[in-house]
């Protein structure tokens, strides 16, 4: 008989020290049956319990490589969906708080992308000339759409390679949901800005004329990350005035102007590696999420490196931070009691097609 799930209310008011102890105990009780995965942006009081950490690309690889029965995902919803799709059928993926979503992923929906595809077909044959490319920060049904229409998934680590693959097959790309990653990657491939048109999903025909659609190499979905849009060129200017010897490094979800004014642009893993490999004594301004920047500032202090956060306000991935120690303890103790809570299960029809688009990505970025 199935055990009764332990209610979250019993954990809601648990103090942090008790939580910490209970997470450690539950992990020990589960042993190798459960693995905790955490994205680089995860809050420190949860991140410290992770068995596996990484950026989106690394986590998707790690999820497909683990043998644990339970994958407890301390990231956001789309990441847990990817883990479910790429893991073995008998493995169970858990997102400790189901409200840990991604505001950028929510800016594209299957209905809106289908409408865009239909509207494009009034000007050209999209299945002949357009590769749909979805950033991994998107719902599983959008990955399935890409799988079905000859498209592919990308992450911030491999977007340029994925665009090259796409252009070797078809002449145009519909890139969703992050316009900034699409624009920056297109720019790095020497595509002029005039040939990257923004598709405004709230306007008929994306707000574009047939002429603009025919001229575009990349149609950029009008989505963005609410965290990375906070970083501004004036933050970089101020830093450069104060520290002319300092280096600036940003995530490609930042605006084009921020990326252009940075010395280095890349994924969270790239940012960590670049600063780790830098000379002792160097100073860095970093344009990405606060939990990650704080973590590396602390880690690299020992090497005499100074790591500064780009914005003057707090820019945290507040949705990822919803996975707090209380939710982690609750999910783990339920597993110890033989009960699965907050399982993420992508419907089979979507999972098959989404896996096709994800496997294309993993193959191209090997
Ligand atoms: P990475 O691909 O660098 O992990 O970034 C994912 C993300 O959500 C950044 O906001
Ligand atoms: Fe989504 Fe932005 Fe959070 Fe990344 S930082 S998970 S893009 S809301």
């Amino acid at each position: 008989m199935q055990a009764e799930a332990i209610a979250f209310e019993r954990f809601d008011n648990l103090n942090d020290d008790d939580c910490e102890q209970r997470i450690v105990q539950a992990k020990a009780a589960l042993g190798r049956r459960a693995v905790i995965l955490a994205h680089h942006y995860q809050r420190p009081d949860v991140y410290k319990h992770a068995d596996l950490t990484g950026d989106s690309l690394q986590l998707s690889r790690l999820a497909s490589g683990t043998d644990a029965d339970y994958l407890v995902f301390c990231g956001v919803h789309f990441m847990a969906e990817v883990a479910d799709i790429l893991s073995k059928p008998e493995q169970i993926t858990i997102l400790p708080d189901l409200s840990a979503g991604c505001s950028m992923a929510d800016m594209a929906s299957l209905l809106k992308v289908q409408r865009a595809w239909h509207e494009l077909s009034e000007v050209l044959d999209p299945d002949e000339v357009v590769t749909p490319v979805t950033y991994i920060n998107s719902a599983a049904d959008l990955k399935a759409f890409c799988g079905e229409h000859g498209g592919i998934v990308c992450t911030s680590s491999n977007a340029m390679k994925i665009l090259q693959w796409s252009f070797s097959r078809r002449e145009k790309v519909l890139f969703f949901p992050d316009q900034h990653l699409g624009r920056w990657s297109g720019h790095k491939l020497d595509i002029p800005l005039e040939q990257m048109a923004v598709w405004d999903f709230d306007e008929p025909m994306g707000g574009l004329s047939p002429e603009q659609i025919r001229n575009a190499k990349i149609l950029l979905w009008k989505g963005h990350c609410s965290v990375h849009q906070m970083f501004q060129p004036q933050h970089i200017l101020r830093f450069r005035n104060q520290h002319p010897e300092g280096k600036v490094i940003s995530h490609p979800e930042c605006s084009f102007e921020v990326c252009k004014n940075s010395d280095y642009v890349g994924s969270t893993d790239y940012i960590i590696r670049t600063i780790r490999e830098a000379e002792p004594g160097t100073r860095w301004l970093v344009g990405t999420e606060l939990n990650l920047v704080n973590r590396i500032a602390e880690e690299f202090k020992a090497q005499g490196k100074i790591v500064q956060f780009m914005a003057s306000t707090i820019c945290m991935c507040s949705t990822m931070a919803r996975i707090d120690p209380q939710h982690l303890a609750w999910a783990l103790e339920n597993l110890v009691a033989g009960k699965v809570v907050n399982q993420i299960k992508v419907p089979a029809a979507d999972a098959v097609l989404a896996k096709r688009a994800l496997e294309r990505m993993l193959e191209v970025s090997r």
Side-chain angles (χ1 to χ4, degrees), residues 154-183:
C154 77
T155 73
S156 58
S157 299
N158 59 22
M160 266 188 285
K161 264 192 188 169
I162 299 296
L163 283 184
Q164 281 170 323
W165 176 90
S166 306
F167 288 126
S168 72
R169 297 158 69 90
R170 297 178 186 166
E171 66 187 62
K172 294 180 193 298
V173 161
L174 173 63
F175 191 97
F176 44 89
D178 185 22
Q179 58 171 306
H180 298 300
L181 176 65
R183 188 179 290 107

Side-chain angles (χ1 to χ4, degrees), residues 59-76:
L59 288 172
S60 61
R61 289 199 179 109
L62 291 167
S64 65
T66 167
D67 281 326
D69 299 338
Y70 305 112
L71 280 62
V72 181
F73 213 111
C74 300
V76 289

Side-chain angles (χ1 to χ4, degrees), residues 41 76 102-104 137 225 227-228 253 317:
Y41 292 164
V76 289
C102 164
S103 54
M104 175 204 282
N137 298 35
C225 166
V227 177
H228 289 83
E253 285 175 17
C317 183

